[in-house]
């Protein structure tokens, strides 16, 4: 098992604030995925990063894959209540996906 | 295109009973994976089926089993339920192109409560 540690575990912020969540490991990955899971639903894939140092933007969300491909970050600009959810990073090992511990984000209106 | 569907959405059982959960993948998807999600352990892989064969299995006891039918629909079964089996059980399907950027699509899950 290649452990993915996410931080912070919980985050509660006001609407309009910026935030960054992290996904770290001691292992090198060929790719990392980020998911968001809303209450009562399954996770939904947001992005896959493949190249070390890669930066991908999805509206107000910016994803970065570390140069050494061991870590990744997700930055949200001007958070909105609709961003509330559990953010999970994951990697594929063989035919299996391994998920991180998750960051639970609450955006207060 | 319809998404991944899971039935039932909620289930309450007592210790010692068994339960069967069902998953219908997105049309054309041949791979179905099952996950258990709990607050303490997070999202953990149970097993994956592809073309009616179990291709991969996580670190769960033999009480957890599954199968896949010729139409790619899948079921998982948990026998002799324990309190610790209370969890959200998620099913995910993917096309199975074999690349590192394979996208898996999750269903809404079945919330199992064991009393």
């Amino acid at each position: 098992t290649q452990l993915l540690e996410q931080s912070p575990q919980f985050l509660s912020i006001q609407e309009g604030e910026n935030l960054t969540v992290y996904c770290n490991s001691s292992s090198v990955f060929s790719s990392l995925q980020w998911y968001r899971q809303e209450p009562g639903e399954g996770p939904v894939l947001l992005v896959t990063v493949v190249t070390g140092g890669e930066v991908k933007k999805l509206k107000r969300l910016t994803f970065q894959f570390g140069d050494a491909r061991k870590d990744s970050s997700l930055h949200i600009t001007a958070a909105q209540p609709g961003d509330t959810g559990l953010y999970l990073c994951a990697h594929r090992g063989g035919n299996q996906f391994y998920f991180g511990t998750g960051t639970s984000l609450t955006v207060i209106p | 295109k319809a998404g991944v569907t899971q039935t039932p959405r909620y289930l309450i059982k007592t210790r010692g009973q068994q339960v069967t959960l069902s998953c219908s993948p997105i049309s054309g998807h041949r791979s179905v994976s099952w996950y258990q999600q709990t607050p303490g352990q997070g999202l953990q892989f149970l097993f994956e089926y592809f073309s009616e064969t179990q291709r991969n299995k996580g670190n769960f006891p033999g009480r957890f089993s599954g199968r896949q039918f010729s139409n790619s629909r899948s079921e998982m079964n948990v026998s002799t339920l324990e309190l610790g089996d209370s969890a959200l059980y998620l099913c995910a399907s993917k096309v199975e192109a074999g690349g590192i950027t394979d996208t898996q699509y999750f269903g809404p899950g079945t919330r199992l409560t064991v009393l």
Side-chain angles (χ1 to χ4, degrees):
Chain A
T1 304
Q2 296 162 316
L3 192 62
L4 288 168
E5 297 276 0
Q6 291 188 244
S7 61
Q9 187 177 357
F10 298 97
L11 191 55
S12 181
I13 62 171
Q14 294 292 132
E15 182 177 0
E17 293 184 351
N18 302 331
L19 67 114
T20 302
V21 298
Y22 300 92
C23 174
N24 296 295
S25 176
S26 57
S27 301
V28 176
F29 302 114
S30 56
S31 66
L32 270 177
Q33 297 183 326
W34 283 93
Y35 293 79
R36 178 171 66 213
Q37 183 177 18
E38 298 182 13
E41 300 296 329
V44 174
L45 179 66
L46 296 173
V47 76
T48 301
V49 286
V50 178
T51 306
E54 181 178 6
V55 176
K56 281 191 173 180
K57 291 192 175 183
L58 187 67
K59 298 183 181 178
R60 294 175 294 99
L61 278 60
T62 301
F63 304 85
Q64 184 161 8
F65 200 12
D67 291 340
R69 291 185 289 124
K70 292 183 177 181
D71 54 80
S72 182
S73 64
L74 159 59
H75 182 79
I76 301 179
T77 303
Q80 298 177 359
D83 296 326
T84 292
L86 179 67
Y87 288 82
L88 296 158
C89 62
H91 78 93
R92 181 174 181 167
N95 286 320
Q96 181 174 335
F97 283 88
Y98 296 90
F99 283 80
T101 49
T103 292
S104 180
L105 171 65
T106 301
V107 181
I108 303 166
Chain B
K1 192 182 261 189
V4 178
T5 58
Q6 292 187 243
T7 57
R9 291 293 309 273
Y10 302 92
L11 204 50
I12 299 175
K13 292 285 188 179
T14 57
R15 279 183 300 173
Q17 288 187 308
Q18 74 165 21
V19 66
T20 299
L21 312 180
S22 180
C23 171
S24 292
I26 292 172
S27 177
H29 287 193
R30 297 167 63 192
S31 165
V32 173
S33 296
W34 288 90
Y35 294 84
Q36 181 195 66
Q37 187 174 33
T38 59
Q41 298 297 319
L43 221 160
Q44 294 184 289
F45 173 79
L46 279 157
F47 30 65
E48 181 201 13
Y49 285 86
F50 179 75
S51 293
E52 301 179 65
T53 301
Q54 187 181 88
R55 184 163 68 173
N56 209 10
K57 190 176 189 305
N59 190 24
F60 278 82
R63 300 186 295 107
F64 292 82
S65 63
R67 58 177 176 168
Q68 186 180 33
F69 302 96
S70 58
N71 61 358
S72 293
R73 190 177 69 85
S74 178
E75 289 181 347
M76 69 162 281
N77 183 276
V78 187
S79 62
T80 318
L81 284 166
E82 301 177 358
L83 295 179
D85 297 333
S86 294
L88 180 67
Y89 289 89
L90 292 159
C91 162
S93 75
K94 56 185 171 74
V95 172
E96 189 51 38
I100 60 174
T101 58
D102 266 357
T103 298
Q104 55 180 347
Y105 297 86
F106 283 86
T110 294
R111 172 73 62 185
L112 172 64
T113 302
V114 182
L115 302 176

